[in-house]
Amino acid sequence: MDIVVCIKRVPATDTAIKIAADGKSIETNGVSFEMNAYDEFALEQALLIKEQLGEGTVTALTIGPSLAQKVMRDALARGADKAVVLTTDEWIYDGAQVAQALATYLQANPAQIVLCGKQAVDSDNNQLAGNLAARLGFGCVTEVTKLELADGTFTAERDIEGAREVVTCKTPAVISCNKGLNQPRYANLKGIMKAKKKPLEEAAADLPAAAMEIVSLELPPARADGRIIGEGVDAVPALIEALRNEAKAI
Amino acid sequence: MSNIIVIAEVRGGSLKRPSLEVITAAKQLASASGGQVVAIACGNGIDAATAELAAGGAAKVIAIDGPSFTEYSGDAWAKAIVEQVKANDGTAVLMAHTAMGKDLLPRVSGLLDTGIITDVIEVSCEGGAYGAKKPVFAGKATMTVKATKSPFCATIRPNNFEASTGGSGEVSKVDAPSGDLLSVVKEIIAAGGDKTPLAEAKVVVAGGRGLKEADNFKLIEDLAAAFGPGVAAVGASRAVCDAGWRPHSEQVGQTGKVVSPPLYFAIGISGAIQHLAGMRTARTIVAINKDADAPIFKVADYGIVGDAFEVVPALIKAIEEVVANR
Ligand SMILES: Cc1cc2nc3c(=O)[nH]c(=O)nc-3n(C[C@H](O)[C@H](O)[C@H](O)COP(=O)(O)OP(=O)(O)OC[C@H]3O[C@@H](n4cnc5c(N)ncnc54)[C@H](O)[C@@H]3O)c2cc1C
Ligand SMILES: Nc1ncnc2c1ncn2[C@@H]1O[C@H](COP(=O)(O)O)[C@@H](O)[C@H]1O
């Protein structure tokens, strides 16, 4: 069973975003990058599935700059067998571009199971799984918090508004992973040493033209300064007064 | 013709309110593009929902109706919808950014081999080009884009447009195709009781590690309950969810839910940048924290420096009084 995990290299979540001079991208000077948090769940799930089946390979796949090799090494150190960087120097925010480029790769390098995160925390698109599955003709379940595989069929759970949904899905499939699905393992020293010898390939991404262009990127309006109403229990009446008459919130 | 397609969400036979909000966005585009708003709804026995769509501003409503569509199937529904998008000259396809919308519209856009922009808060159509605005980096920035491929597909953030009302559209029915389903919903397990969904709550009462242990969340639940039934929901910081005190579905923040309620309480939450990303657009923010230097006070409209175990019980009483005297 060949399993592919899609991983995006994104700015660390504690980055204070600054807009670059072009007004269309972020200032990346001084920003540290990491594996997209949701993709850690996808990678972990891939490793769990491989362990369950007792066979197969886990390939970590990314579209991004050559610098993404660092994140890919981390994926190898955690247990992926192989990593591929499809390179581009542009910031990819357009979901169709990612989906089509990954579909092209997967048509040439077939996999039965494709796992991805629910959302890349830079562009916050939350679209790849369905988009890719449609292009490959695969089944798909998104934002899963529980996943079981038996006889080539997944049974997954996902949160919907006010409830949970249980979904079955045939393989081949693309599954997008949400928080709660599993507890990602980290790389240990042995893993890090092993990763140095694992294959890490790089090739130029075959990107179609973008389906949209950025007009502008702006910071949201700053919040007005708040105020400390007071200390301890004695401040409660003043808070109620402010919520009622000033904020009209209660 | 350049019609605007709205994919409506029908669950258990009833129309979900965000679909009517999407019609408002669609009407805005239709008046610029010169087309009509065409709503498509899938399900089994959905006459009431399609009537509501027709009375809610869709000029034309297409029901893809039949036993094979009783349960949601992303692949089967997307295929049937794409046929209707094409047959009805859709140049834009909109759906709400809900669990179903996030699952279905990417699939539709992939079949149409076009682009998709998600979690949209504003739409535009200028000189025939569709555009949209959406938060990125968990709301730390806002991106405006112009579509360069047709049709334009977008999921619309709930609670961001008014629900559309008024109209007398025409409803037609298409038989739901039967065939092989790759994925299908087997069961829907309702969340315990009549809990208000976090994203829809008018008030969110969120607790953090300052609560010290899981059992103390009773205070947070009681404060939420003080607002009366159906008003407030409980939220949590990641520290609390990771510790297993609260379910992950309650996590607010960059890797949890982004909420924008009229009123947000942060209790015993320090205000890490990832938490702020999930709640900074709340209209009014109240923080209770015993550390006067906690970063949460920088975004809070009103702050009380104090011990949550003393302040919150007093606050519960005060809110109960306000609610009782309404
Ligand atoms: C990749 C990544 C993603 C993340 N995503 C999220 C996310 O989505 N959401 C999120 O919330 N966090 C997220 N975090 C974690 C975030 O950085 C913080 O660690 C977390 O928000 C801290 O939670 P907290 O405020 O409850 O705990 P702490 O930071 O420990 O704060 C506890 C606060 O309680 C106060 N306190 C203590 N006792 C009392 C008392 N008796 N009464 C009143 N106040 C008291 C303290 O003064 C303190 O300010 C993420 C981190 C990473 C690395
Ligand atoms: N450039 C990329 N390279 C590899 N995987 C990606 C890329 N962009 C997105 N993904 C995957 O798709 C998931 C959802 O991303 P998105 O739809 O862009 O929010 C991410 O969590 C990744 O698993």
Side-chain angles (χ1 to χ4, degrees):
Chain A
M1 184 79 72
D2 288 320
I3 307 170
V4 164
V5 188
C6 304
I7 292 175
K8 190 174 189 185
R9 171 189 181 263
V10 295
T13 51
D14 59 1
T15 305
I17 298 296
K18 292 197 194 81
I19 308 295
D22 66 359
K24 295 180 180 184
S25 58
I26 63 161
E27 188 55 72
T28 51
N29 257 340
V31 170
S32 62
F33 285 80
E34 61 189 21
M35 185 186 302
N36 182 43
Y38 294 107
D39 303 352
E40 296 189 31
F41 305 122
L43 174 59
E44 178 63 28
Q45 201 61 32
L47 299 173
L48 292 173
I49 293 172
K50 182 184 158 181
E51 284 163 12
Q52 178 198 337
L53 298 174
E55 52 108 7
T57 58
V58 173
T59 303
L61 175 61
T62 191
I63 303 179
S66 216
L67 289 167
Q69 282 205 7
K70 190 167 167 225
V71 170
M72 291 289 109
R73 277 286 170 218
D74 180 28
L76 293 172
R78 294 191 202 203
D81 299 297
K82 176 184 162 186
V84 178
V85 182
L86 302 175
T87 54
T88 169
D89 287 332
E90 309 275 321
W91 174 45
I92 328 216
Y93 55 90
D94 174 24
Q97 231 182 350
V98 183
Q100 188 50 49
L102 291 177
T104 305
Y105 176 87
L106 287 163
Q107 274 148 359
N109 303 273
Q112 285 292 89
I113 297 174
V114 180
L115 293 153
C116 65
K118 90 162 178 181
Q119 175 166 341
V121 300
D122 54 354
S123 49
D124 282 339
N125 278 335
N126 197 334
Q127 59 77 43
L128 180 79
N131 199 340
L132 178 61
R135 288 165 199 266
L136 294 172
F138 280 21
C140 176
V141 194
T142 55
E143 304 191 286
V144 310
T145 52
K146 198 172 165 193
L147 188 68
E148 273 158 25
L149 176 64
D151 305 325
T153 297
F154 282 114
T155 302
E157 280 187 24
R158 59 196 299 267
D159 289 337
I160 62 171
E161 291 75 16
R164 268 177 307 139
E165 215 169 49
V166 183
V167 187
T168 58
C169 179
K170 293 178 187 160
T171 51
V174 185
I175 307 283
S176 88
C177 303
N178 202 352
K179 193 173 176 185
L181 176 62
N182 56 40
Q183 195 61 54
R185 71 194 73 181
Y186 293 103
N188 57 24
L189 196 61
K190 203 169 131 212
I192 294 169
M193 296 309 290
K194 267 186 160 168
K196 292 189 176 145
K197 295 193 203 87
K198 290 180 179 172
L200 200 171
E201 294 167 11
E202 200 176 285
D206 184 3
L207 290 175
M212 61 186 71
E213 58 189 53
I214 297 183
V215 178
S216 66
L217 194 66
E218 293 156 302
L219 295 182
R223 282 192 82 90
D225 278 347
R227 67 172 200 269
I228 303 270
I229 294 241
E231 284 184 23
V233 188
D234 298 345
V236 169
L239 174 63
I240 296 290
E241 165 69 22
L243 288 177
R244 272 183 103 153
N245 298 324
E246 200 175 87
K248 308 218 182 308
I250 55 174
Chain B
M1 278 297 255
S2 173
N3 291 326
I4 315 298
I5 311 285
V6 170
I7 306 176
E9 178 171 341
V10 181
R11 279 191 186 273
S14 55
L15 182 69
K16 291 298 185 183
R17 184 192 144 94
S19 306
L20 293 170
E21 299 171 4
V22 178
I23 291 186
T24 301
K27 283 202 282 198
Q28 202 179 309
L29 292 181
S31 68
S33 77
Q36 282 190 324
V37 175
V38 179
I40 302 175
C42 297
N44 183 22
I46 53 172
D47 289 355
T50 50
E52 219 181 311
L53 286 164
K60 193 174 162 190
V61 182
I62 299 161
I64 310 181
D65 199 334
S68 59
F69 275 20
T70 306
E71 306 300 344
Y72 173 67
S73 164
D75 43 285
W77 290 25
K79 233 189 261 170
I81 288 166
V82 163
E83 269 179 36
Q84 293 304 322
V85 170
K86 289 182 176 158
N88 287 279
D89 302 317
T91 56
V93 187
L94 311 183
M95 189 169 183
H97 193 70
T98 55
M100 189 189 282
K102 287 182 277 182
D103 194 83
L104 185 55
L105 196 62
R107 188 134 201 146
V108 168
S109 79
L111 291 178
L112 290 166
D113 187 20
T114 187
I116 176 167
I117 169 149
T118 57
D119 200 15
V120 164
I121 54 173
E122 274 176 39
V123 290
S124 66
C125 178
E126 275 165 42
Y130 294 107
K133 199 176 249 205
K134 70 162 285 176
V136 289
F137 299 98
K140 289 182 224 163
T142 309
M143 181 165 95
T144 306
V145 297
K146 195 169 83 184
T148 52
K149 206 163 177 185
S150 184
F152 162 77
C153 293
T155 59
I156 308 289
R157 176 177 280 204
N159 292 321
N160 201 71
F161 288 86
E162 292 290 322
S164 171
T165 53
S168 54
E170 168 200 316
V171 182
S172 60
K173 216 181 254 192
V174 180
D175 283 337
S178 52
D180 208 19
L181 305 180
L182 299 177
S183 71
V184 69
V185 170
K186 285 290 171 203
E187 191 187 354
I188 291 180
I189 306 165
D194 45 9
K195 272 211 316 208
T196 312
L198 191 52
E200 292 165 28
K202 298 268 182 288
V203 179
V204 172
V205 184
R209 190 144 53 188
L211 272 298
K212 307 277 191 292
E213 55 182 295
D215 287 350
N216 295 335
F217 262 75
K218 172 97 179 33
L219 270 184
I220 302 294
E221 285 172 348
D222 287 352
L223 180 53
F227 286 91
V231 178
V234 171
S237 70
R238 168 165 145 177
V240 159
C241 297
D242 281 357
W245 300 355
R246 302 299 296 184
H248 291 301
S249 54
E250 287 181 3
Q251 182 179 321
V252 173
Q254 185 147 7
T255 50
K257 297 212 163 69
V258 175
V259 297
S260 204
L263 181 57
Y264 188 90
F265 288 88
I267 300 172
I269 291 178
S270 58
I273 188 165
Q274 297 99 340
H275 187 81
L276 301 185
M279 43 66 81
R280 64 181 299 284
T281 56
R283 192 157 50 109
T284 301
I285 297 171
V286 177
I288 301 170
N289 195 303
K290 69 175 185 191
D291 175 8
D293 294 325
I296 191 77
F297 286 124
K298 293 212 177 69
V299 299
D301 300 282
Y302 305 115
I304 294 182
V305 179
D307 188 335
F309 299 105
E310 292 166 16
V311 178
V312 177
L315 186 56
I316 292 170
K317 267 207 197 103
I319 296 287
E320 278 170 353
E321 261 166 47
V322 171
V323 170
N325 293 331
R326 267 205 197 120

